[in-house]
Amino acid sequence: MTVLDDQATPPPAGPPPRLLDLGLRVVGAIVVVLAGVLTGVLELLLATVRVGGQLIGVSAVLAVGANIVLSWFAYEAVGRRWAVALPAVPWFALMAVAAIRTTEGDLLLSGDNWVGLAMIVAGAMTFAVMGFRQILAPPATLGD
């Protein structure tokens, strides 16, 4: 028996198996969609925050910051340029539902709440800019 026989050969270095990679991308996509819903709900809750009786724009600022992070994470987790739509679609759907009055008369976002309107505009513009940046980005090389 030689010394070489006792040593186990390490697995070849390289990309992870295809099925594991696909599974991680699917899990990343699910996390991104859920995070889009969660940040949308949080922004809706913060749209009515007042300090000294005056509305403050914390929800609009949160919309910009969270949507930038969600768009970046979506691309990194899924690895596709279209992944920016994964958090954007549920976020937009949530904002649309929040602006519709229910049969009981409840309304989450009213037209006289400037923070809610600013939040919708700022969040939509952020997703649009991040999506546009993905479209204009040069193709990734294998060395990156």
Side-chain angles (χ1 to χ4, degrees):
M1 179 174 226
T2 66
V3 174
L4 293 175
D5 291 336
D6 292 340
Q7 296 174 349
T9 58
R18 205 166 155 82
L19 189 58
L20 176 64
D21 184 52
L22 178 64
L24 288 174
R25 289 175 191 261
V26 168
V27 168
I30 293 169
V31 167
V32 168
V33 169
L34 292 176
V37 171
L38 179 68
T39 59
V41 168
L42 183 62
E43 292 161 12
L44 285 170
L45 290 174
L46 294 176
T48 58
V49 172
R50 295 175 185 268
V51 173
Q54 298 295 320
L55 287 170
I56 59 172
V58 69
S59 184
V61 174
L62 178 65
V64 171
N67 292 355
I68 289 172
V69 171
L70 285 174
S71 299
W72 169 81
F73 182 71
Y75 176 71
E76 291 296 321
V78 178
R80 301 285 186 251
R81 292 181 183 202
W82 56 262
V84 72
L86 290 173
V89 169
W91 188 88
F92 282 119
L94 193 59
M95 295 304 142
V97 168
I100 297 173
R101 189 174 302 275
T102 65
T103 55
E104 293 84 18
D106 298 332
L107 185 63
L108 292 175
L109 281 178
S110 62
D112 62 350
N113 183 349
W114 69 267
V115 175
L117 298 175
M119 175 190 63
I120 292 173
V121 170
M125 291 296 292
T126 302
F127 277 128
V129 167
M130 294 301 287
F132 192 66
R133 286 190 57 188
Q134 288 298 328
I135 291 170
L136 293 180
T141 60
L142 293 176
D144 289 345

